[in-house]
Amino acid sequence: MSELRGRLVVGRREIGSLSREKTIVLALVIQLFVAGFSSFLVVGLTSLYSPGSVSGGGVEVAVVGDAGEDVVEAAEAAGGVEARLYSDATTAEAAFEAGRVDALVEARTRDGRIAVTVTAPEEGLQKTLVVVRVRSVLETLERTERESRAGSLESGVVPLPPPVDASPYLGFTYTVLVPMLLLLPAFIVGSVAVDGVTEEVERGTLELLRVTPLSLAAILEGKALALAALGPAQALLWVGLLSLNGIPVANLGLLAVFVTALSVTAVALGVGTTLLVADRQRAQLLYSFCVLGLLTAATALPEGPTSTAALLAIDSPGPLTAPAVAGYALLAVGLALLVRWYVGRVDPSSL
């Protein structure tokens, strides 16, 4: 019982010391702001995530070439682009240089195919918007050409799926915003674990803690348990704020297990790196490399962490979602036991 009480005291002390970490506090405040005002921010953030979703602000395009009429028809079908057909390239280029049109599209037939060359602004948000809108026109043109030329083929073509008019706000919310607010707390608590342990070593307070009946393993466990619990606590708070903003998040139980597993993994990595490198900057660098390595490896999985978070949040889990959560939980337990085993073999005086 005294060992447990000692771990709880160390954990409360660790949570209380977070207020001194200005970088961590700023990161938490930013996440709190994003979650608390998500209904307002999502509109502006979506315009960066998907510029084509911005209402209004149509793009004017100058079109030249013998296949220009096809491009004009595709622009009318796609919407968002006003295509003007010019008789010669010189006049169209002059209109583009003078700023009367936003882009120049040259469409000519070569060997039975339509070759398209697009001239867009060099930089800025306007370039991004122009590229997105013109790409939509070219996709419509491609779809039309596929359908019109299907009869000339000896074998049938695979039918293209119908275009989906999905909301960009829904896509951004559940594929970017929600996974970010669920995953960031886990990575942050791992970084806090690095700072917490290295700070004890640099300030000499670890020696004072060792004067107590607690072992080095018990001290580190108290710190780790407090921080590992902080990750899912933050995530659930963000979910509550999202719900207040009209963004419901489903499968809270599985999401809590998922975020807890990631938090335990991150904290175990943080503690493990500090045992190898007691210097704060080097330990943070090593921790960052470990996290980036795991994230890179996760991209090779059939269902990565961000996909798992999004599928659970939108209540559309796939056949691999539950096994993925179980796999993350097993990874967290295995890594925590490995670090615990290593702690028992570390000489505290070497830190």
Side-chain angles (χ1 to χ4, degrees):
M1 183 63 68
S2 60
E3 284 263 331
L4 177 60
R5 187 178 297 110
R7 288 179 172 85
L8 293 177
V9 171
V10 173
R12 286 197 300 270
R13 178 176 173 273
E14 183 68 19
I15 296 298
S17 66
L18 289 179
S19 60
R20 298 195 300 269
E21 299 293 338
K22 295 181 180 179
T23 303
I24 301 302
V25 172
L26 179 60
L28 297 178
V29 170
I30 291 174
Q31 293 178 75
L32 179 63
F33 179 79
V34 172
F37 297 93
S38 53
S39 61
F40 301 99
L41 293 175
V42 71
V43 177
L45 293 173
T46 303
S47 66
L48 300 177
Y49 165 74
S50 178
S53 66
V54 180
S55 60
V59 173
E60 296 184 6
V61 176
V63 182
V64 295
D66 59 303
E69 293 183 359
D70 296 327
V71 175
V72 172
E73 292 177 0
E76 294 175 354
V81 175
E82 181 181 348
R84 300 179 183 177
L85 189 61
Y86 283 72
S87 58
D88 62 278
T90 302
T91 306
E93 290 175 2
F96 175 71
E97 294 294 338
R100 294 194 298 272
V101 294
D102 300 305
L104 172 61
V105 177
E106 182 179 358
R108 300 189 183 279
T109 304
R110 297 175 183 172
D111 300 327
R113 299 180 181 181
I114 298 177
V116 178
T117 303
V118 179
T119 304
E122 293 184 0
E123 57 186 16
L125 181 61
Q126 180 68 12
K127 173 186 176 181
T128 305
L129 182 60
V130 168
V131 169
V132 171
R133 292 286 175 83
V134 173
R135 182 178 62 188
S136 176
V137 172
L138 297 182
E139 289 174 349
T140 302
L141 176 62
E142 180 186 19
R143 183 183 293 270
T144 302
E145 289 297 311
R146 283 176 179 269
E147 294 174 352
S148 63
R149 302 188 185 196
S152 62
L153 299 177
E154 297 180 356
S155 57
V157 296
V158 177
L160 292 174
V164 178
D165 188 18
S167 169
Y169 303 106
L170 180 67
F172 172 80
T173 298
Y174 287 100
T175 62
V176 178
L177 183 62
V178 171
M180 179 190 72
L181 291 175
L182 292 177
L183 299 181
L184 275 182
F187 301 141
I188 288 178
V189 295
S191 179
V192 174
V194 174
D195 279 350
V197 178
T198 54
E199 183 180 293
E200 301 281 10
V201 175
E202 293 173 355
R203 294 185 177 182
T205 51
L206 185 61
E207 291 294 329
L208 296 177
L209 289 174
R210 288 178 53 213
V211 174
T212 67
L214 295 176
S215 62
L216 176 63
I219 295 171
L220 295 180
E221 284 175 5
K223 289 176 169 292
L225 289 174
L227 294 175
L230 183 61
Q234 291 179 66
L236 291 177
L237 175 60
W238 307 155
V239 167
L241 293 174
L242 288 174
S243 300
L244 291 177
N245 280 269
I247 302 175
V249 177
N251 298 299
L252 292 183
L254 278 177
L255 281 176
V257 174
F258 172 67
V259 176
T260 301
L262 294 183
S263 299
V264 171
T265 301
V267 171
L269 280 176
V271 173
T273 53
T274 56
L275 295 177
L276 295 173
V277 182
D279 179 73
R280 177 182 295 195
Q281 292 183 348
R282 293 169 59 194
Q284 285 286 8
L285 182 62
L286 180 58
Y287 168 75
S288 300
F289 279 132
C290 290
V291 170
L292 289 175
L294 287 177
L295 288 177
T296 302
T299 59
L301 297 175
E303 183 176 301
T306 55
S307 297
T308 299
L311 290 173
L312 288 174
I314 206 170
D315 198 19
S316 182
L320 298 177
T321 303
V325 174
Y328 296 131
L330 290 176
L331 174 63
V333 173
L335 188 58
L337 291 176
L338 178 62
V339 173
R340 177 62 180 82
W341 170 84
Y342 182 68
V343 169
R345 284 153 179 77
V346 171
D347 181 9
S349 60
S350 64
L351 297 175

